[in-house]
Amino acid sequence: MRKILILLTFIIFWKIWGINLNKIDPTILSYFSEDLGETFSFKKSFLKFSVEPLEKDTILSYDFYLKRKSKEILPVILKGDVERLKNFINQNVKITDSIVTGYIDFSTLKEISDSNFLIFCEISKPVFQSSDSAAYLTRISQMVGMGYDGEGVNIGFIDDGFSPSIPIFKKDNISKFKLIWNQKSFSSFPPQNFGYGEEIDSFKALNYDIEDVKGHGTSLLSILSSESYFFEGLIKRSKIVAVNTFLNTKNLLDGIKYIVDRCEYFQKPFVLFMPLNYFWGSHSGEDLFEEAIKELFPLTSLKRGISVPAGNLGNMKLYSKVYDNFQIKGEDLFSNSSVLFLTDSSKSFDLDILCNDFLSLRFFVLSDGDLFLSEWIDLKENPVFYFSEPDFFLGFGYNKDKNCSHLIFEHQKKNYLGIQIFTTDKENPVEFFIARGGTFVKPSYENFYDGERKKNLCSPASVENVISSGSYISRRNTYLFVTDDTLFTISSFNSKDDDILKPDIYSPGKYILSYRVGSDGISYKDSFGFFLGTSYSSIFTGVALVQLLQADSNLSVKQLYELIKKGADIVSTGYFDQITGYGFLNVFRSLKSQSVRKDEIFLRIEKDKSYVKIFLKDSKYSIVECINITTSNHIEVFKNFAIDRKPKIGKNKYILKILNELGEKEEIMVDVEFFKNISPSNGGKVFDLSGREVLKSKIKRGIYFEILDGKKFKKLIKF
């Protein structure tokens, strides 16, 4: 009988009020805890407890659209049977074969939570937006001078606002924008397979206005594509596929899917610039949003890359880990070291907690000098619960499969929240992340934990499939190792003992010259200013990805990122560490580290009755020497082809010495069968630099003119 009762308790525990908790984001559970969970209350304690005035700390504060008891539909990312899930959500967008986004009301979510076609529901998380000598320090400007200006590689760009109609994004009355999806406007038709917003083509983009109140998107795009006489974009030959998005992960993921689909249709390599972050969720790189990124940018896929910032939270106390030294739950607040204390100056804050179900919690609130204590709450018995008091509200939701909880604390006046833990797992800590609004505070008691300025990397920078950038000050001396004033303190990073070591690379992120937009969203005429943040760092790293793809479009995502790491200017320790990543971005060294390999060299053989020509298909390589070892003849070479005017009948064996423009060499051997008789008149044939035959009657003073696409081009020839 006891086993039956335990089983019934377990079933009730995981299916409260007809909802399968294992399939629901703990954030949703915490915000709807009044509908789903048990209610608890605080009791006033007679313990004397005081907090001294606290130094002001930076607080991660922004609005969240999800409200308690909200009856509005929820923006979500769902995993499961996409075709069946589409029947239950509005404005659905299929991201991958197993992930779809859309809007769903809470009652419908409860209805399908126990179905076999839903694997997990994730609430859309709030997203936030996180140049000059910088191009020189990264060697990007040197690459531009060598011709790596983005031609043939598309830019994917997504942000909350940018100004496509301003003059710097036009040349000869042609827009730099190939396509724009404005998710916020409904004046025209939405893009195919996306049920909202409007799609704008290149012609309409010339005079298409998008509000950019913060100026973030316009500023970043100007570094890439500006045609201003004062400030030229680094890869201005690239075309842009852009999305004006809402700042949440659902719409952001829709925008990423749009860019990937359109760039694949254009059949050109592309780099996605995504200067946006969020700090909310499992903090493990395993959210549905991050899973979708992995599927859209698999490490083995070719012709693509994605650059993201590490985040601007490096100077905030947003993380704490707490070990439990309790032997029994009955000990008071001051006799153990498993106490965490938080405070906040705003009306609410959100907290992510990584734990398992062996955890019990007790809460205490300090309000107007009075201390209020709760009873111990066991997560096995109460995965969802709440406290509703006159001055504050606390909602809590726990998901066993994800080992993750979410807490929301709302209050009308200055209140301090404390959390005490008890767990049977004494070796591993319980980890706390402030997702929004608060800061950790350590009162003057030895057993209380403080927050730490570490493990503050933002999502999706933790994913292996993206290249993530931290920031350094662009006025650094390139010959010095890292000093205290070299790295930008706001740059996020993970702790040294964490499984995910990021960021990958450091790029300039302070004193960045870029286009400036006024506070009213109206751009100043040819006005530029200096900016800061890891968003700008990710732009420079993304430019490096574009230049590497321009050099070799057949690089895989993994190869592309490895080149970035190999080429970095090594700093500090000389190997990867949690502070400096792999070093400072140096795209020239990255390109140089890619040696010429035989499997990358593609040849084309052309034979006539009087000669053999060997062509290189890739213009980034050139032939410096060619020997027919069958005849022992050194044959005539041009940049991209070699011509043997006296091949031997039968097999001819050639050795070609191949050189890329960075000085990397490789020798390859080519066998050519030749069966034609050599014509005695072959010596009179002349070829231009592209390898095509030229009639002598067309040659005047060593210059050959030809018509290409209606324009007259001059080509020097060798004869």
Side-chain angles (χ1 to χ4, degrees):
M1 178 62 71
R2 185 179 179 185
K3 290 183 178 179
I4 295 174
L5 288 174
I6 293 173
L7 180 61
L8 288 173
T9 302
F10 180 80
I11 294 172
I12 294 171
F13 165 59
W14 292 116
K15 294 185 181 178
I16 297 177
W17 300 108
I19 187 169
N20 189 331
L21 303 182
N22 278 338
K23 295 185 178 182
I24 307 299
D25 190 324
T27 301
I28 298 177
L29 300 179
S30 67
Y31 273 76
F32 287 87
S33 56
E34 290 167 279
D35 297 321
L36 301 173
E38 188 75 25
T39 180
F40 291 88
S41 59
F42 285 90
K43 293 182 180 180
K44 189 173 181 178
S45 171
F46 294 101
L47 289 172
K48 294 298 181 182
F49 191 92
S50 62
V51 177
E52 297 176 1
L54 303 167
E55 59 175 303
K56 287 187 176 181
D57 210 334
T58 309
I59 292 177
L60 180 60
S61 182
Y62 47 84
D63 292 330
F64 186 33
Y65 38 80
L66 185 61
K67 306 298 180 186
R68 285 195 302 118
K69 300 182 179 180
S70 172
K71 301 304 178 185
E72 298 178 3
I73 56 176
L74 307 175
V76 292
I77 304 172
L78 303 179
K79 182 176 183 179
D81 186 333
V82 169
E83 296 307 316
R84 296 183 68 180
L85 288 171
K86 283 181 178 180
N87 298 322
F88 297 91
I89 55 178
N90 299 323
Q91 289 189 9
N92 62 78
V93 175
K94 180 180 177 181
I95 304 299
T96 69
D97 290 339
S98 63
I99 296 177
V100 62
T101 67
Y103 294 87
I104 191 170
D105 63 75
F106 186 62
S107 60
T108 303
L109 177 58
K110 288 199 296 184
E111 176 187 332
I112 68 171
S113 67
D114 201 31
S115 67
N116 59 5
F117 54 83
L118 174 66
I119 296 176
F120 191 73
C121 171
E122 182 174 292
I123 189 70
S124 180
K125 306 298 195 303
V127 170
F128 46 85
Q129 297 167 324
S130 311
S131 292
D132 49 47
S133 61
Y136 168 75
L137 293 172
T138 56
R139 306 296 288 274
I140 287 173
S141 56
Q142 181 176 355
M143 294 284 288
V144 173
M146 293 164 56
Y148 292 99
D149 52 8
E151 185 173 11
V153 182
N154 285 331
I155 293 170
F157 184 82
I158 185 165
D159 204 348
D160 175 30
F162 48 86
S163 304
S165 62
I166 61 177
I168 65 170
F169 297 133
K170 306 173 187 177
K171 185 176 183 181
D172 299 329
N173 206 33
I174 298 175
S175 174
K176 294 298 187 74
F177 291 86
K178 200 175 184 75
L179 282 174
I180 298 172
W181 178 24
N182 186 358
Q183 296 181 349
K184 302 179 182 181
S185 177
F186 298 87
S187 302
S188 185
F189 296 104
Q192 186 178 1
N193 299 326
F194 299 85
Y196 63 101
E198 64 179 351
E199 188 173 42
I200 301 300
D201 61 22
S202 182
F203 178 74
K204 292 180 180 178
L206 286 169
N207 300 298
Y208 188 72
D209 293 323
I210 294 176
E211 187 178 41
D212 187 13
V213 175
K214 297 179 181 177
H216 186 257
T218 304
S219 171
L220 296 171
L221 275 172
S222 72
I223 298 174
L224 303 176
S225 297
S226 170
E227 287 286 353
S228 169
Y229 66 92
F230 178 70
F231 182 75
E232 290 191 11
L234 298 173
I235 45 174
K236 61 182 184 177
R237 299 290 294 275
S238 293
K239 288 294 185 180
I240 306 169
V241 178
V243 176
N244 181 36
T245 188
F246 295 96
L247 290 179
N248 66 75
T249 54
K250 181 266 177 200
N251 291 101
L252 183 58
L253 191 53
D254 291 350
I256 295 171
K257 173 63 173 173
Y258 170 84
I259 289 171
V260 171
D261 284 356
R262 296 305 185 265
C263 288
E264 285 180 345
Y265 175 79
F266 295 137
Q267 296 184 340
K268 287 190 176 182
F270 69 96
V271 172
L272 173 58
F273 293 77
M274 195 185 78
L276 302 168
N277 298 111
Y278 67 97
F279 193 70
W280 198 306
S282 66
H283 302 271
S284 62
E286 297 178 354
D287 291 347
L288 289 187
F289 180 90
E290 293 163 314
E291 184 177 330
I293 293 288
K294 294 175 186 177
E295 292 192 40
L296 294 173
F297 291 85
L299 293 174
T300 55
S301 61
L302 307 179
K303 302 180 184 294
R304 69 186 63 188
I306 174 173
S307 177
V308 304
N312 294 349
L313 310 181
N315 60 344
M316 299 185 188
K317 290 183 178 180
L318 300 176
Y319 170 76
S320 187
K321 59 182 178 182
V322 179
Y323 290 89
D324 174 29
N325 292 331
F326 262 0
Q327 298 304 315
I328 57 173
K329 293 181 183 177
E331 297 182 35
D332 63 46
L333 291 177
F334 305 100
S335 60
N336 74 93
S337 60
S338 63
V339 175
L340 184 71
F341 204 63
L342 302 95
T343 187
D344 181 33
S345 58
S346 63
K347 291 184 178 180
S348 65
F349 62 79
D350 289 81
L351 188 70
D352 293 317
I353 306 172
L354 304 190
C355 58
N356 55 42
D357 63 356
F358 298 110
L359 182 67
S360 296
L361 299 166
R362 180 166 69 166
F363 302 91
F364 56 99
V365 174
L366 184 65
S367 179
D368 290 335
D370 293 325
L371 182 65
F372 297 87
L373 281 170
S374 78
E375 61 184 280
W376 284 99
I377 302 172
D378 191 331
L379 291 189
K380 278 188 176 180
E381 298 174 2
N382 295 284
V384 182
F385 56 86
Y386 68 97
F387 298 84
S388 185
E389 303 290 343
D391 291 336
F392 56 85
F393 172 86
L394 187 155
F396 192 96
Y398 169 64
N399 184 289
K400 181 180 179 181
D401 286 353
K402 299 289 185 180
N403 283 332
C404 183
S405 301
H406 190 86
L407 178 151
I408 174 179
F409 186 71
E410 294 181 349
H411 54 143
Q412 300 301 318
K413 57 183 180 180
K414 187 79 170 182
N415 294 298
Y416 298 90
L417 172 67
I419 303 174
Q420 200 168 16
I421 69 168
F422 177 84
T423 177
T424 55
D425 182 0
K426 305 298 183 183
E427 295 183 1
N428 297 308
V430 177
E431 296 184 283
F432 296 82
F433 298 83
I434 295 178
R436 178 180 69 120
T439 185
F440 294 108
V441 174
K442 186 180 186 304
S444 55
Y445 300 95
E446 291 185 1
N447 56 314
F448 280 71
Y449 275 75
D450 195 3
E452 301 177 71
R453 289 185 173 93
K454 62 192 315 188
K455 211 165 184 177
N456 44 44
L457 189 75
C458 297
S459 296
S462 56
V463 179
E464 183 184 8
N465 305 59
V466 308
I467 190 85
S468 57
S469 303
S471 290
Y472 70 78
I473 299 173
S474 63
R475 291 178 180 173
R476 73 177 177 93
N477 184 330
T478 56
Y479 301 103
L480 293 179
F481 287 127
V482 174
T483 61
D484 292 339
D485 61 350
T486 303
L487 299 181
F488 197 8
T489 56
I490 68 169
S491 185
S492 296
F493 59 91
N494 263 6
S495 59
K496 196 169 186 176
D497 56 352
D498 190 44
D499 292 335
I500 305 169
L501 294 175
K502 291 269 189 168
D504 299 296
I505 202 80
Y506 269 74
S507 296
K510 194 173 183 181
Y511 308 125
I512 306 300
L513 181 64
S514 184
Y515 198 78
R516 183 173 56 180
V517 174
S519 59
D520 56 359
I522 301 174
S523 60
Y524 301 107
K525 184 177 180 181
D526 274 341
S527 179
F528 294 82
F530 290 94
F531 299 86
L532 55 85
T534 55
S535 289
Y536 292 87
S537 303
S538 71
I539 290 296
F540 288 106
T541 303
V543 169
L545 297 181
V546 169
Q547 291 176 327
L548 291 174
L549 280 175
Q550 187 179 353
D552 186 352
S553 63
N554 289 312
L555 291 170
S556 69
V557 169
K558 186 171 184 177
Q559 289 172 330
L560 197 57
Y561 299 165
E562 288 301 317
L563 284 176
I564 291 290
K565 297 170 186 177
K566 285 180 183 177
D569 291 329
I570 303 299
V571 294
S572 187
T573 58
Y575 55 88
F576 184 91
D577 62 61
Q578 85 283 8
I579 301 297
T580 58
Y582 287 92
F584 292 147
L585 177 67
N586 185 331
V587 64
F588 181 79
R589 283 186 56 184
S590 293
L591 186 61
K592 193 170 182 179
S593 70
Q594 184 187 15
S595 60
V596 180
R597 298 188 299 273
K598 292 180 182 179
D599 58 356
E600 292 179 344
I601 301 173
F602 298 96
L603 303 173
R604 176 171 62 86
I605 308 298
E606 180 182 309
K607 293 182 285 187
D608 195 2
K609 62 182 180 180
S610 59
Y611 62 83
V612 170
K613 281 194 286 188
I614 304 172
F615 290 86
L616 292 179
K617 287 189 175 182
D618 198 326
S619 61
K620 72 177 180 179
Y621 303 133
S622 60
I623 303 173
V624 293
E625 187 177 1
C626 183
I627 303 173
N628 185 336
I629 60 175
T630 306
T631 63
S632 300
N633 291 333
H634 285 259
I635 69 173
E636 192 174 5
V637 297
F638 295 78
K639 182 178 185 296
N640 297 113
F641 77 99
I643 178 168
D644 186 359
R645 299 180 187 272
K646 297 180 180 181
K648 180 181 178 181
I649 296 178
K651 180 177 285 188
N652 291 262
K653 192 177 289 291
Y654 297 93
I655 291 181
L656 286 87
K657 293 186 178 180
I658 307 297
L659 182 75
N660 74 9
E661 56 194 295
L662 299 175
E664 302 290 339
K665 295 181 180 180
E666 181 72 50
E667 288 188 358
I668 61 173
M669 188 172 291
V670 182
D671 292 333
V672 179
E673 293 284 348
F674 185 78
F675 296 109
K676 300 285 185 180
N677 291 322
I678 300 176
S679 169
S681 63
N682 79 86
K685 291 192 176 182
V686 178
F687 303 91
D688 68 11
L689 292 179
S690 68
R692 291 179 295 184
E693 185 177 345
V694 181
L695 296 177
K696 279 190 175 181
S697 60
K698 298 288 185 181
I699 298 173
K700 294 182 179 180
R701 298 181 182 177
I703 297 176
Y704 171 56
F705 291 91
E706 62 180 54
I707 304 298
L708 293 176
D709 299 326
K711 295 183 179 180
K712 195 173 185 180
F713 286 88
K714 179 173 68 175
K715 286 194 175 184
L716 296 178
I717 63 168
K718 185 175 181 180
F719 61 94

